[in-house]
Amino acid sequence: MKKALILGVVLIFGFALIIGCGPSDEKATSEAPEKAKTTFITIGTGGITGVYYPTGGAIARIVNKKKDVYGIRCTVESTGGSVFNVNAIMAGDLQFGVVQSDRQYQAINALAEWKDKGKQEDLRAVFSIHPESITLVAAVDADINDIADLRGKRVNIGNPGSGQRQNSIDALEAVGIDYKTDMNAEGIKASESASLLQDGRIDAFFYTVGHPSGSIKEATAGARKVRFASVTGVDSLLAKYPYYAKAFIPVKLYPGAENTENVDTFGVKATFVTSAKVPEDVVYAVTKEVFDNFEDFKKLHPAYAVLTKEGMLEGLSAPLHPGALKYYKEAGLK
Ligand code: GLU
């Protein structure tokens, strides 16, 4: 019942994001019939209880306000996450996507999931967004305080297609845990993790996500007491990979969790990417609208509180798309 209620609320919120972009769009079409050509673009995000989904919604809403100026109609798709988004953009199924900074680096350098596929040469960076931390949520009754305690436990490390899957594997490897033999690893979507934990079907889950996120709120608000477990002993990882940095979980955002102090972990950044095949004027318009409406954009999610325009040009490893670069030069940011 409770699950159904949460899903209902989430769905209504999701629809509101999409429908919220609609009215001005229809008005623009009827008022400017001469502008016959509409360019449709879709942003790939993540699970609806993550931060990527509302991020896609925030960008789409800002872009759609100028439908009559640019003729661009932007929609948002919930997806399996970063890796799925890169692959769908490269296949031309999506035009934009939210992708972890480490996944952007790996895709452009033929690492991790792209080791056999080769360099994703057409991947282009647009800007970076909020910080994300490798978040390990565990049931208090499972006696897990740190990643080292996951041996022998049932843990959702993330679906193939998600960003968190490789982050979990990297972190486990760094502390000497083989996810295939030393524990029961599940590969389920992050949107299901909270209910699996609350139902006692897993002991813990990993989620690489910005804070606060709906999924972590859901996980910490149930009858089964949960805590954030620290992810320590991963210094070798931080030294080896340029895209990982120390981070912490701001526990005050989740009053339902057992923790009282912030919890140590490591993190990455969410970034916004596209393909070299997406036209310059489209990427220019999207970039310009987000940056010209920066203060409004920042208000659309609490995870954006730390954003600065200059910071949004950091953490990118794919070449900048020429449409984005054009805007940054005009705005004096490059
Ligand atoms: N970082 C996650 C991923 O790449 C998604 C997080 C979110 O949806 O906010 O799969």
Side-chain angles (χ1 to χ4, degrees):
M1 176 60 204
K2 191 161 159 270
K3 238 165 67 186
L5 187 69
I6 290 169
L7 187 67
V9 170
V10 161
L11 284 178
I12 289 165
F13 180 60
F15 274 125
L17 278 176
I18 294 169
I19 290 165
C21 316
S24 65
D25 171 46
E26 279 159 26
K27 194 162 156 261
T29 316
S30 58
E31 275 178 5
E34 71 279 6
K35 209 174 204 100
K37 200 176 160 292
T38 300
T39 304
F40 291 93
I41 56 172
T42 304
I43 302 172
T45 60
I48 48 178
T49 47
V51 180
Y52 286 9
Y53 187 70
T55 294
I59 295 170
R61 196 182 327 185
I62 281 177
V63 172
N64 285 337
K65 274 191 186 159
K66 293 284 181 70
K67 163 79 166 56
D68 49 349
V69 178
Y70 301 115
I72 296 174
R73 172 84 174 98
C74 184
T75 53
V76 174
E77 202 173 288
S78 168
T79 73
S82 288
V83 175
F84 178 95
N85 293 342
V86 167
N87 293 337
I89 293 167
M90 293 300 91
D93 297 333
L94 295 172
Q95 288 66 51
F96 291 91
V98 189
V99 167
Q100 288 177 203
S101 50
D102 53 321
R103 301 328 216 123
Q104 187 185 136
Y105 181 95
Q106 291 162 348
I108 205 77
N109 290 299
L111 301 168
E113 278 91 339
W114 297 278
K115 211 170 180 161
D116 299 329
K117 288 186 173 174
K119 294 184 176 184
Q120 304 302 297
E121 309 266 10
D122 277 349
L123 188 64
R124 291 292 176 271
V126 185
F127 47 77
S128 68
I129 326 173
H130 56 278
E132 300 188 87
S133 39
I134 284 67
T135 307
L136 176 55
V137 183
V140 169
D141 59 48
D143 240 1
I144 299 163
N145 286 296
D146 184 75
I147 185 171
D149 302 325
L150 291 181
R151 212 173 278 278
K153 305 289 183 186
R154 185 170 291 272
V155 185
N156 186 20
I157 62 167
N159 57 297
S162 71
Q164 56 268 7
R165 189 175 173 89
Q166 189 64 46
N167 301 148
S168 325
I169 295 170
D170 284 348
L172 287 162
E173 243 171 49
V175 299
I177 297 178
D178 183 336
Y179 77 99
K180 289 190 188 130
T181 54
D182 299 337
M183 58 184 229
N184 295 312
E186 301 285 358
I188 303 169
K189 282 186 177 178
S191 55
E192 291 180 40
S193 284
S195 57
L196 288 173
L197 188 67
Q198 282 300 326
D199 292 350
R201 288 160 60 200
I202 53 173
D203 300 311
F205 69 87
F206 283 96
Y207 195 11
T208 302
V209 71
H211 299 290
S213 95
S215 165
I216 309 289
K217 280 188 178 168
E218 189 189 338
T220 51
R224 193 179 188 196
K225 269 281 163 208
V226 307
R227 67 165 68 106
F228 295 101
S230 52
V231 181
T232 59
V234 291
D235 287 356
S236 60
L237 203 63
L238 306 190
K240 189 166 158 198
Y241 297 120
Y243 42 74
Y244 286 148
K246 268 190 193 304
F248 63 85
I249 313 292
V251 301
K252 72 169 192 306
L253 296 175
Y254 304 102
E258 190 207 41
N259 313 74
T260 50
E261 304 288 330
N262 288 343
V263 175
D264 288 334
T265 183
F266 64 103
V268 293
K269 254 180 149 187
T271 71
F272 196 57
V273 301
T274 187
S275 159
K277 295 202 174 79
V278 174
E280 185 174 321
D281 58 338
V282 173
V283 181
Y284 173 82
V286 172
T287 312
K288 180 174 167 59
E289 287 314 308
V290 170
F291 277 76
D292 281 359
N293 296 289
F294 183 66
E295 291 309 321
D296 290 337
F297 177 75
K298 264 182 83 165
K299 286 186 201 125
L300 294 176
H301 197 287
Y304 309 154
V306 295
L307 297 187
T308 62
K309 286 187 178 181
E310 292 74 17
M312 287 174 75
L313 271 69
E314 289 163 8
L316 307 171
S317 31
L320 271 178
H321 190 287
L325 187 59
K326 183 180 163 198
Y327 174 77
Y328 297 141
K329 284 196 169 146
E330 267 177 26
L333 288 161
K334 269 274 174 197

